[in-house]
Amino acid sequence: MPDQSIPEARIAEASPGEAVSENASPREGISRRRLLGTAGATGLVLGAAGGAVGYASAPAGATPLTSLGEDMAMFHGKHQPGITEALQARGHLVAFDLAAGASRKEAAALLRRWSTTAQRLMAGEAATQDDTDVARDAGPSSLTITFGFGNSFFSRTGLEKQRPASLDPLPDFSSDHLDKARSNGDLWVQIGANDALVAFHALRTIQKDAGSAAKVRWQMNGFNRTPGATAHKMTARNLMGQLDGTRNPKPTESDFDKRIFVPASGSTDPAWMANGSYAVVRRIRMLLDDWEKLSTGAQENVVGRRKSTGAPLSGGGETTAMDLEKTDAKGALVVPINAHARIARPDQNGGAAMLRRPFSYHDGIAADGTPDAGLLFVCWQADPLRGFVTVQRKLDRGDALSTYIRHEASGLFAVPGGAAEGEYVGQRLLEG
């Protein structure tokens, strides 16, 4: 788990320098569910033709949505949503395989349906058909829905010549114990929201929209701390209790776009990937029973940072530069040579960096009595070979944390740039 993070904050409250999406929209955006929560006793939701549509008027005395519910990300934009937004409280990752006989035509129709659904749900509106009313009372709640293509998608649709070289399968790593049934897939969807019902509603709607064109290959559920649960904004903690991801790249950095997004020109990637990114998805099980037997000091030596504050063992605060050469009175390195934070640093990996946007998970207790819990690791980069692969190879050669984690599932997906108004995600690939 490389040492990088995203601030735990709502988009609407992000301060200068925080990860704020170009897809973010002002809170003034109106949706049918927002109107339901704010209209008076005689308020009606009006369609373009002026007739009442969707949900019924709100009851007398209805109170406005909280700020948590009204936060909204935009579907249309330069990049897809769900990449640079702040961590959300609830997440679902789901991969689909195209049905036997499904072609490029069926895939295009599916992405068109999914894009329409994503645009509506992210605006806090009901699905176009057979809405379940699960999210009826909620606002958009920072919902984001992101779509990507796996390596196998291109051969299934006859688009082999458009498959990026960056989608070549990831190499094997020593910490891999991968379940093939829960890895890869033709299509990948990432769903995040700050309300669990809003996230579930999106997941269920996307699954129904797939119809006979695609079936679920695997699905995983995750969570983060709810925005506002801490006295101040802070880096997220993982299930090991560590501040997880202090050195995440920030959009304010001059080379952020170069590291995270495929450029619109001058790239070896196909043109349809302009302004897109590559997502590496790993289900990383934390061996918590073994980890929790360690003293706090031993845990800090494994990571290279203080558990309480995230500060490097060499001193200072969370954002203080780590002194890799500092020694103690006995001449030993203060930050151990195999500490996770030391090995994962970009300056120890030729500048390799990735934008981490994970969710924690807990899927109950295994048959042996150990918790099936850990991290749904999602990282974004313009080139996975220079990003994830470079760092993971280094970690593979001696990261102290590797004793306490196990990679159980894996996927690599090409995530195209955002859809312009009137477009659907992947249109430039599927109709180019």
Side-chain angles (χ1 to χ4, degrees):
M1 295 174 290
D3 184 39
Q4 301 164 332
S5 77
I6 289 179
E8 183 183 358
R10 294 196 303 273
I11 297 169
E13 292 186 354
S15 58
E18 289 186 338
V20 180
S21 172
E22 294 185 38
N23 301 335
S25 121
R27 287 185 174 177
E28 287 77 14
I30 297 296
S31 70
R32 285 192 286 173
R33 281 206 297 273
R34 285 189 63 190
L35 284 172
L36 178 67
T38 58
T42 60
L44 292 176
V45 182
L46 300 181
V53 297
Y55 302 136
S57 59
T63 56
L65 291 167
T66 66
S67 59
L68 188 67
E70 72 176 349
D71 286 350
M72 182 173 70
M74 295 299 293
F75 173 74
H76 294 296
K78 182 178 180 181
H79 310 297
Q80 283 198 61
I83 301 176
T84 59
E85 282 83 1
L87 292 177
Q88 294 135 308
R90 183 66 60 171
H92 301 294
L93 308 179
V94 55
F96 293 81
D97 284 336
L98 291 171
S103 65
R104 177 175 174 178
K105 178 180 178 181
E106 284 77 24
L110 174 57
L111 267 297
R112 189 180 295 111
R113 289 196 301 275
W114 274 352
S115 296
T116 298
T117 290
Q119 181 180 2
R120 292 181 64 87
L121 298 189
M122 284 174 55
E125 299 177 1
T128 53
Q129 294 181 353
D130 301 323
D131 191 89
T132 62
D133 282 350
V134 170
R136 166 181 280 272
D137 309 304
S141 302
S142 299
L143 174 68
T144 60
I145 304 177
T146 318
F147 303 102
F149 302 104
N151 183 293
S152 56
F153 175 84
F154 297 86
S155 58
R156 299 290 302 276
T157 55
L159 291 167
E160 292 95 336
K161 292 182 178 179
Q162 290 297 320
R163 179 170 50 208
S166 296
L167 265 187
D168 287 350
L170 297 173
D172 295 329
F173 301 103
S174 63
S175 58
D176 286 354
H177 295 74
L178 303 182
D179 179 357
K180 292 184 179 180
R182 293 195 297 182
S183 298
N184 301 311
D186 295 342
L187 294 158
W188 175 69
V189 185
Q190 173 191 254
I191 296 168
N194 282 332
D195 179 79
L197 286 180
V198 169
F200 175 81
H201 178 245
L203 172 67
R204 182 65 180 144
T205 306
I206 288 293
Q207 180 190 356
K208 290 196 301 180
D209 275 355
S212 60
K215 62 180 181 179
V216 173
R217 178 180 176 88
W218 55 260
Q219 193 252 312
M220 302 175 190
N221 309 310
F223 59 89
N224 285 303
R225 179 171 277 155
T226 301
T230 56
H232 56 86
K233 302 170 194 173
M234 60 182 294
T235 304
R237 288 191 185 274
N238 61 32
L239 298 188
M240 288 178 162
Q242 299 284 342
L243 292 184
D244 188 351
T246 295
R247 290 180 58 86
N248 224 21
K250 296 177 176 58
T252 52
E253 296 170 356
S254 60
D255 61 350
F256 179 84
D257 280 2
K258 180 179 178 181
R259 291 181 173 189
I260 308 305
F261 295 110
V262 175
S265 61
S267 172
T268 58
D269 286 270
W272 64 267
M273 270 299 291
N275 300 313
S277 188
Y278 291 92
V280 173
V281 182
R282 307 279 280 187
R283 178 187 169 94
I284 303 176
R285 179 134 174 218
M286 295 176 173
L287 308 182
L288 294 178
D289 282 355
D290 295 335
W291 174 255
E292 291 164 3
K293 291 175 184 177
L294 299 178
S295 67
T296 298
Q299 291 177 352
E300 291 176 341
N301 281 333
V302 167
V303 175
R305 291 182 175 274
R306 298 294 177 198
K307 191 172 184 179
S308 58
T309 65
L313 297 184
S314 54
E318 182 185 358
T319 59
T320 300
M322 183 176 288
D323 185 349
L324 300 180
E325 305 303 322
K326 187 174 182 178
T327 57
D328 60 19
K330 298 181 179 179
L333 289 170
V334 173
V335 180
I337 197 69
N338 63 346
H340 177 77
R342 172 190 283 269
I343 296 175
R345 290 169 57 92
D347 58 10
Q348 300 296 301
N349 293 279
M354 65 201 86
L355 181 66
R356 300 176 68 263
R357 202 173 183 278
F359 294 94
S360 293
Y361 78 88
H362 179 218
D363 287 343
I365 307 300
D368 61 1
T370 61
D372 184 2
L375 198 69
L376 301 182
F377 177 88
V378 182
C379 71
W380 301 89
Q381 57 264 287
D383 181 347
L385 181 61
R386 296 184 62 187
F388 173 80
V389 173
T390 295
V391 177
Q392 190 60 37
R393 278 176 171 162
K394 187 76 173 288
L395 293 171
D396 224 30
R397 293 196 290 267
D399 176 24
L401 188 61
S402 62
T403 301
Y404 304 97
I405 61 175
R406 188 164 61 217
H407 292 233
E408 295 186 335
S410 177
L412 171 62
F413 302 95
V415 176
E421 293 283 349
E423 285 187 344
Y424 62 87
V425 173
Q427 182 169 339
R428 281 162 276 180
L429 165 65
L430 292 162
E431 296 186 15

